[in-house]
């Protein structure tokens, strides 16, 4: 049965992402996990970080992977399937690699449920648009938007993975001590891991040239940018010898 594209859910989902991003900036408080766990009530139910990240990120992989599995197999098929494959690559890593290597603090259960709902909704939105709505010209694989977008996506993912590796090396298993990260883009910004992911989703929005991906990139800038800002303040407050030249998110600027 052929699924027909309905623009209404695409527009509604994209508008929701933009509204959530704007709300994050309006509230201007970091989500209560990791360094900012204390912003929640001490009695809040928590799960181990590895289980929490796995459960939260899984829908972002499972939903699009399930939709992709129903499409004809082809290495260079329709651009929409290839681009959705990139989305799955990111969330495969987040679900099955990042989560199992995490050495973070226990994660508040209430945020896990919110994260699951967000990841399932966003995963469906991106998948639905790319598979059933997106139309690309025959030469899309050589279009500058696709080429530059995929380059930025891969670059950002590399920065994100490398930065996460640096952060993990700051702790031994079981430790919750905070130390000053060094190396990579951490020499220039406090939120190198966030910067990498933001670059990733900006590249994805460019490669897909789609409203849902642009809305997700906007949300990512708002959510991760604010988190980088609060991380920077945390480091400055905790460490007297924190590098004064280091910025929060954008080298030499912010």
């Amino acid at each position: 049965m052929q699924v027909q594209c309905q623009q209404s859910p695409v527009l509604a989902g994209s508008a929701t992402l933009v509204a959530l991003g704007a709300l994050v900036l309006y509230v201007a408080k970091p989500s209560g996990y990791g360094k900012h766990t204390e912003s929640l009530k001490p009695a809040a139910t928590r799960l181990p970080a590895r289980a929490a990240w796995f459960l939260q990120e899984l829908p972002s992989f499972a939903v699009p992977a399930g939709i992709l599995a129903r499409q004809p197999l082809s290495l260079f098929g329709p651009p929409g399937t290839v681009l959705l494959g990139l989305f799955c690559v990111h969330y495969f890593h987040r679900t099955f690699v990042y989560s199992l290597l995490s050495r973070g603090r226990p994660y508040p259960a209430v945020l896990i449920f919110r994260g699951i709902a967000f990841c399932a909704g966003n995963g469906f939105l991106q998948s639905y648009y790319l598979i059933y709505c997106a139309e690309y010209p025959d030469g899309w694989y050589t279009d500058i938007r696709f080429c530059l977008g995929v380059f930025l996506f891969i670059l950002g993912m590399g920065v994100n993975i490398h930065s996460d590796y640096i952060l993990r090396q700051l702790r031994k298993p079981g430790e919750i001590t905070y130390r000053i990260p060094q190396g990579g883009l951490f020499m220039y910004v406090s939120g190198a891991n966030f910067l990498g992911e933001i670059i990733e989703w900006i590249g994805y929005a460019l490669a897909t040239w789609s409203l849902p991906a642009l809305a997700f990139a906007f949300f990512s800038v708002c959510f991760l940018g604010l988190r980088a800002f609060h991380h920077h303040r945390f480091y400055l407050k905790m460490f007297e010898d924190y590098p004064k030249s280091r910025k929060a998110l954008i080298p030499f600027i912010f």
Side-chain angles (χ1 to χ4, degrees):
M1 180 178 177
Q2 184 72 25
V3 177
Q4 298 297 321
C5 172
Q6 300 293 327
Q7 290 294 338
S8 295
V10 172
L11 294 174
S14 300
T16 299
L17 285 174
V18 171
L20 287 174
L23 180 62
V24 166
L25 292 182
Y26 176 76
V27 174
K29 293 182 180 179
S31 189
Y33 65 90
K35 294 177 177 60
H36 312 290
T37 302
E38 289 74 13
S39 63
L40 289 181
K41 295 180 180 179
T45 303
R46 291 175 170 82
L47 268 68
R50 292 181 178 180
W53 279 108
F54 176 82
L55 292 173
Q56 176 176 284
E57 302 292 307
L58 181 60
S60 284
F61 172 75
V63 171
I67 293 176
L68 268 181
R70 301 175 61 184
Q71 308 307 308
L73 294 177
S74 176
L75 181 60
F76 287 103
T81 60
V82 173
L83 290 163
L84 187 57
L86 288 179
F87 188 88
C88 288
V89 167
H90 170 88
Y91 280 106
F92 178 88
H93 175 266
R94 295 291 293 181
T95 304
F96 299 104
V97 180
Y98 171 82
S99 66
L100 300 182
L101 294 175
S102 176
R103 296 178 181 176
R105 291 185 172 192
Y107 199 100
V110 64
L111 296 183
I112 296 173
F113 290 115
R114 292 179 190 174
I116 290 173
F118 178 87
C119 289
N122 184 56
F124 178 78
L125 173 64
Q126 305 300 329
S127 305
Y128 180 84
Y129 178 83
L130 288 173
I131 299 301
Y132 303 118
C133 299
E135 296 181 2
Y136 295 102
D138 292 339
W140 189 250
Y141 286 129
T142 57
D143 190 286
I144 185 62
R145 290 166 290 183
F146 177 85
C147 296
L148 180 58
V150 170
F151 170 76
L152 289 174
F153 181 88
I154 295 172
L155 174 65
M157 188 170 181
V159 170
N160 180 251
I161 291 174
H162 181 247
S163 300
D164 284 337
Y165 170 79
I166 291 174
L167 291 174
R168 283 197 303 274
Q169 301 313 301
L170 296 177
R171 290 177 176 171
K172 297 178 181 178
E175 281 188 339
I176 58 172
T177 304
Y178 289 107
R179 298 182 177 90
I180 300 175
Q182 304 286 354
L185 282 181
F186 282 114
M187 300 300 293
Y188 306 99
V189 295
S190 299
N193 50 332
F194 304 129
L195 175 59
E197 191 164 352
I198 287 172
I199 292 172
E200 217 178 328
W201 295 126
I202 289 175
Y204 191 72
L206 184 60
T208 61
W209 205 247
S210 72
L211 180 61
L214 178 62
F216 183 43
F218 174 78
F219 172 83
S220 299
V221 169
C222 295
F223 183 84
L224 298 175
L226 181 68
R227 197 154 185 86
F229 171 74
H230 283 287
H231 270 42
H232 188 64
R233 290 179 56 182
F234 174 90
Y235 285 129
L236 288 173
K237 183 178 180 180
M238 174 164 280
F239 302 105
E240 293 183 359
D241 58 341
Y242 195 73
K244 303 303 180 185
S245 61
R246 192 177 297 186
K247 301 297 183 181
L249 183 67
I250 305 174
F252 313 114
I253 298 175
F254 170 74

